[in-house]
Amino acid sequence: MDPKQACARCAPRVALAGAVSAALLVARIGGVSADVSLPPVTVGVGLQTSIYDCDKACIYSPSTVPAGDSSVQGIALDSIRLYINGSVTDQIKMTFNTEYTGSGSGPGDNKVEVMDAIGRFEFNDQFNIWAGRFLPPSDRANLYGPYYANDWAPFADGVADFYPDVAVGRDNGLAYWGDFGMLKAQVGVFDGESVNSAVADKSKLVYAGRFTLDFWDKETGYYFNGTYYGDKDLLALGLAGQSQDSRTTLSIDGLMEKKLPNLGAVTIEAEYNRDNRLTSAVSSDGWYGLAAYVFPVVVGIGKFQVLGKYSQKTIDTLPVDDKLKTTEINLNYIIKSFNARVGFYYLNQKDEIADTSPNEFGLKLQLQM
């Protein structure tokens, strides 16, 4: 007999016993509320969804153009995240975040995976230790991710966030970070066997480091933003690198953002990345530049933003290097910073050796709470 069926008659008794136990527990907790306090826990949710149209091939959307067709259209649940943060003490904290990998047709889609699982020992601005799974020291783009990027397709060019990872840009490891005035230092060691690096001997550890200088306003904490929509005046320069078994990936990135009195806010971001066969079996280098402008006038419940981005990546293939050139244009409506925004995006990507130049259009929505 199915054990679930065997217990069917027990269900009312179990439910009654559970209700009585719960009531007694609530009464007990109420009686000792002056002596016991539960640790504070916050729960949040993030969502990204899109409508897209791909001409010749999809560049960033989770779909492919069927054989014999010239285009494909679709609606995707790109990502949904659950955020949980709690404090054990004022200095000892925990973070647990999950990521739904999207509704497309790829092999990693329609799954929920552990994105972050962090034990955080945060003593002061200068001395903090993180352990578990999290974003390792790397380029700014990896440390702001898709939910805090300025554009809608931050990783379409293969330049930003071109580092090995185990899941959603994360690695399993241990890191120190601290803020020293205008300098932020982040260094760590990570498990080489779990990451998808191009190194043959995965028993070797991955060493990672990043140093950031903030010449204007300070960015506190471990993570970064791709923009602050004018809430900060930023002039930041970062140098990052990772190494495993003598193979390296290095990057230098910069962000300038300035709020203009009664004239909105302008943002300029740039990065150069060099991969010496750590992330890919073939070495490469690339760069991108991004410029954005937020209009000062409130229209309805938000402000409009225009954005343009261009990147070029050179892949050291033989006998001729391959070049990948990516152009992105956004028209965005910012309702409440990264908590509520919607935007139209256009992508074009030219591959010189493959002699292809697909286009992609899309409308994206992001909500967080």
Side-chain angles (χ1 to χ4, degrees), residues 41-211:
V41 175
T42 61
V43 179
V45 177
L47 167 73
Q48 283 192 349
T49 185
S50 64
I51 303 172
Y52 58 87
D53 185 322
C54 303
D55 173 39
K56 302 183 181 68
C58 287
I59 302 168
Y60 204 61
S61 296
S63 187
T64 56
V65 176
D69 290 339
S70 61
S71 65
V72 65
Q73 298 79 38
I75 301 174
L77 176 57
D78 300 302
S79 166
I80 185 166
R81 296 180 173 182
L82 174 66
Y83 310 120
I84 302 175
N85 286 279
S87 298
V88 181
T89 70
D90 290 341
Q91 292 79 33
I92 303 175
K93 306 170 185 178
M94 293 184 65
T95 294
F96 177 71
N97 301 327
T98 65
E99 162 83 342
Y100 169 69
T101 57
S103 56
S105 57
D109 292 329
N110 288 309
K111 296 179 180 178
V112 176
E113 59 186 352
V114 174
M115 184 171 65
D116 295 297
I118 317 170
R120 297 156 43 207
F121 300 85
E122 300 176 349
F123 301 103
N124 51 53
D125 290 344
Q126 294 76 37
F127 189 77
N128 303 278
I129 301 292
W130 282 16
R133 175 178 293 184
F134 53 95
L135 291 171
S138 47
D139 62 343
R140 173 180 285 269
N142 191 34
L143 289 165
Y144 57 59
Y147 279 81
Y148 293 88
N150 206 350
D151 58 323
W152 289 112
F155 313 128
D157 51 29
V159 177
D161 186 26
F162 199 65
Y163 285 84
D165 70 339
V166 63
V168 204
R170 274 71 175 171
D171 286 348
N172 303 325
L174 178 73
Y176 158 83
W177 67 273
D179 286 320
F180 301 88
M182 64 186 298
L183 172 68
K184 183 191 302 292
Q186 299 162 285
V187 293
V189 58
F190 296 85
D191 179 35
E193 292 187 354
S194 63
V195 300
N196 56 352
S197 71
V199 173
D201 186 1
K202 295 296 184 69
S203 66
K204 305 293 185 181
L205 294 173
V206 176
Y207 299 93
R210 177 182 173 88
F211 297 93

Side-chain angles (χ1 to χ4, degrees), residues 321-340:
D321 292 345
D322 191 11
K323 291 187 182 296
L324 194 68
K325 301 175 182 178
T326 307
T327 301
E328 179 181 3
I329 298 173
N330 290 182
L331 175 60
N332 302 321
Y333 187 58
I334 312 302
I335 301 169
K336 188 179 179 182
S337 185
F338 296 106
N339 291 335

Side-chain angles (χ1 to χ4, degrees), residues 157-318:
D157 51 29
V159 177
D161 186 26
F162 199 65
Y163 285 84
D165 70 339
V166 63
V168 204
R170 274 71 175 171
D171 286 348
N172 303 325
L174 178 73
Y176 158 83
W177 67 273
D179 286 320
F180 301 88
M182 64 186 298
L183 172 68
K184 183 191 302 292
Q186 299 162 285
V187 293
V189 58
F190 296 85
D191 179 35
E193 292 187 354
S194 63
V195 300
N196 56 352
S197 71
V199 173
D201 186 1
K202 295 296 184 69
S203 66
K204 305 293 185 181
L205 294 173
V206 176
Y207 299 93
R210 177 182 173 88
F211 297 93
T212 308
L213 288 173
D214 285 309
F215 296 95
W216 296 348
D217 289 347
K218 177 66 178 177
E219 297 174 278
T220 59
Y222 186 88
Y223 291 134
F224 293 90
N225 282 11
T227 178
Y228 292 85
Y229 296 116
D231 288 342
K232 287 181 180 289
D233 286 335
L234 284 181
L235 182 58
L237 183 66
L239 176 66
Q242 293 185 14
S243 175
Q244 182 184 24
D245 197 21
S246 300
R247 295 191 182 186
T248 60
T249 296
L250 302 170
S251 61
I252 182 170
D253 53 70
L255 178 68
M256 186 193 77
E257 183 160 291
K258 183 68 176 177
K259 184 175 183 179
L260 309 174
N262 301 317
L263 293 175
V266 62
T267 306
I268 298 175
E269 181 186 355
E271 177 180 334
Y272 171 80
N273 174 279
R274 173 67 184 178
D275 180 58
N276 296 306
R277 298 185 301 119
L278 172 62
T279 310
S280 175
V282 179
S283 59
S284 65
D285 66 283
W287 61 271
Y288 71 80
L290 178 152
Y293 175 71
V294 177
F295 290 89
V297 179
V298 176
V299 180
I301 57 174
K303 295 181 179 180
F304 282 100
Q305 179 200 46
V306 291
L307 180 149
K309 181 181 179 182
Y310 178 80
S311 73
Q312 181 171 304
K313 181 172 183 175
T314 301
I315 305 168
D316 299 339
T317 56
L318 295 176

Side-chain angles (χ1 to χ4, degrees), residues 28-37:
R28 175 60 179 166
I29 292 175
V32 298
S33 59
D35 302 320
V36 178
S37 61

